[in-house]
Amino acid sequence: MRDTRESRLLLVLLIVIAFALITVDIRGGQESPVDGARQAAAAVFGPVENGVAAAVDPIGNAIGAVRDSGERHTRIAALEKENAELKAKLGSDDRNRNRLRELDTMLKTAGAGQYGIKGAQVIAIGAAQGFSWTVTIDIGARDGIQRDMTVLNGSGLVGRVTTVGPSTSTVLLANDPDFTVGTRMEKSDELGFATGQGDRPLLVQLLNGKAKVKPGDRLVTFGSRADKPFVPGVPVGEVVRVDPAGGGLTRNIYVRPYVGFTKLDIVGVVVQAPQSDPRDAVLPQKPKPAPTVTVTVTPPPPDGQQAADGTAQGQKPNQNQQAPQDQGDATP
C-alpha cells in the first residue's frame, strides 16, 4: 500500500478502534462484549500455543538445569574453599595434627554420603547451657546455618542444630534424653527410633517386634521429610544388646554410638543434603577376620619300637661290624 492520505487516515482509525475495544473490555470485566471473541481466539490459538510451549519447555528446562547445576557447583566450590582455609588455620603441632586427621576423616565421610557440609569447631559444652547434652559451635546464621540441620563428624551422627545465633549455634547431641532420630538397620532395612540415654547406649525401638537382630548389627539414620532435621545414611552405631522378643509390637535393642560425645572437637553441619539416599555407603568397612593358622604336630613313635633290621628305630647298623665267632668252633 502506498503512503497516501487515505492510508494514514485508515491507520489512525484502526488505532482509535483498538483503544476503544481495549477500554470497553477492561471496564466490562467478565461481561465484556468482546469476551466471546476472546474465547473464540483462545480456542483457535490455544492448541498452537500448547505446541509451541511443548517445543520450548525442554529448552527452558535444560537452561534451568544448567543454571541450577552452576549454583550447586559454586556452592560446593565455596565449601571446599572454606574447608581448605580451616585446614590451613589448624597449624602443624601435635594437637592440630590430630584435628587435621579428624577433619580429613569427616570430609571422607561427607564425600561418601555426598553431603555438603560446613566445618566447625566445638567451643563450649553443656555446663554453660543447662543440664542437657549440648555443645556450642563457632558458626551461625552469618555462615548459612539454620535450625534443624544435621551435625556429624568423621565417625557418624553428632546431633542436630537447635538454636542459631549470628556467629554461633547450639547442637543437641544424639545421646541427650530429649533426642530422637529415625534409624534403619543395615541390610535388613528394619526401621526404628533411637533415643539418647546420656552415657549409656542408645535405646532403639524397632517397629517390628519380631525383627531378627543380633549384637554387631549396624544402624544409619533413616532421614526426615525435606531432610530436616536429619539427612539419610549417617552412621549411628552398633548393636550391643538385644532384649528378648516378648510378642509385643516393638522390640528394644541397645546401640553403642560411633561418636564419642565427651571428646568432640571438629564437626560438620550438613547444609546441602545428598540428591539420593546413600543407604549403607557411609558405614565403615567391617574388619576382615584374621586368617586362622593351623599347626600339625606328628606324634613320636612308641618307646621300644625296633626297626626291621633289629636295631632301634633311627639307629643305623654298622656295616663294618663283624659278628663274634662261635666259641665252640675254636680250634684247640
Side-chain angles (χ1 to χ4, degrees):
M1 181 183 294
R2 291 179 297 174
D3 185 12
T4 61
R5 181 180 179 185
E6 290 80 5
S7 63
R8 287 197 295 270
L9 288 174
L10 179 59
L11 178 60
V12 171
L13 180 60
L14 291 174
I15 293 174
V16 170
I17 292 173
F19 276 108
L21 290 174
I22 293 172
T23 303
V24 171
D25 184 35
I26 294 175
R27 291 182 177 180
Q30 294 182 350
E31 299 179 355
S32 170
V34 297
D35 186 59
R38 184 168 57 236
Q39 292 181 2
V44 173
F45 294 106
V48 179
E49 292 173 345
N50 288 335
V52 173
V56 173
D57 277 348
I59 301 174
N61 293 338
I63 294 173
V66 172
R67 181 183 64 249
D68 295 339
S69 176
E71 291 176 356
R72 284 195 295 270
H73 285 303
T74 301
R75 192 172 187 183
I76 292 172
L79 292 174
E80 290 176 347
K81 180 181 178 182
E82 290 176 2
N83 289 333
E85 291 174 352
L86 182 58
K87 278 186 177 183
K89 186 172 66 176
L90 289 178
S92 59
D93 58 23
D94 290 342
R95 178 171 178 270
N96 287 338
R97 277 196 292 269
N98 291 334
R99 298 170 73 191
L100 279 172
R101 282 194 292 269
E102 289 184 27
L103 180 60
D104 285 337
T105 305
M106 182 179 69
L107 293 177
K108 290 177 181 178
T109 297
Q114 295 299 302
Y115 308 123
I117 64 171
K118 275 188 177 292
Q121 181 181 351
V122 173
I123 57 175
I125 56 176
Q129 307 164 53
F131 296 100
S132 59
W133 288 78
T134 59
V135 295
T136 301
I137 56 178
D138 62 351
I139 56 177
R142 295 172 183 168
D143 306 285
I145 305 304
Q146 300 176 7
R147 179 183 170 87
D148 285 338
M149 283 183 167
T150 307
V151 182
L152 52 76
N153 66 4
S155 300
L157 180 66
V158 172
R160 63 180 176 87
V161 176
T162 55
T163 306
V164 180
S167 58
T168 61
S169 302
T170 301
V171 178
L172 183 69
L173 301 181
N175 65 335
D176 187 274
D178 291 332
F179 187 97
T180 301
V181 58
T183 60
R184 181 181 59 78
M185 298 291 302
E186 180 186 15
K187 295 182 180 179
S188 71
D189 291 340
E190 293 287 353
L191 303 181
F193 291 96
T195 302
Q197 296 194 113
D199 54 1
R200 294 179 294 165
L202 304 175
L203 170 63
V204 179
Q205 283 190 317
L206 296 179
L207 301 182
N208 181 4
K210 298 180 181 179
K212 295 181 179 180
V213 59
K214 64 184 183 302
D217 289 347
R218 306 186 295 178
L219 297 87
V220 299
T221 57
F222 178 67
S224 307
R225 184 176 182 180
D227 300 311
K228 285 189 176 183
F230 302 110
V231 294
V234 180
V236 175
E238 184 175 300
V239 176
V240 293
R241 182 162 66 90
V242 181
D243 281 353
L249 296 178
T250 62
R251 188 174 190 183
N252 291 344
I253 63 175
Y254 300 87
V255 173
R256 180 179 61 245
Y258 286 124
V259 171
F261 298 106
T262 59
K263 50 183 181 181
L264 292 171
D265 188 7
I266 303 298
V267 299
V269 181
V270 180
V271 296
Q272 186 174 10
Q275 293 185 355
S276 60
D277 188 345
R279 306 291 294 176
D280 303 327
V282 189
L283 283 168
Q285 291 186 353
K286 288 186 176 180
K288 296 181 180 179
T292 302
V293 179
T294 303
V295 178
T296 303
V297 179
T298 303
D303 294 339
Q305 182 177 354
Q306 299 294 320
D309 58 358
T311 62
Q313 185 175 1
Q315 180 181 354
K316 294 182 180 181
N318 187 352
Q319 301 295 334
N320 297 323
Q321 182 179 358
Q322 296 180 357
Q325 294 181 352
D326 189 353
Q327 297 296 327
D329 295 339
T331 304

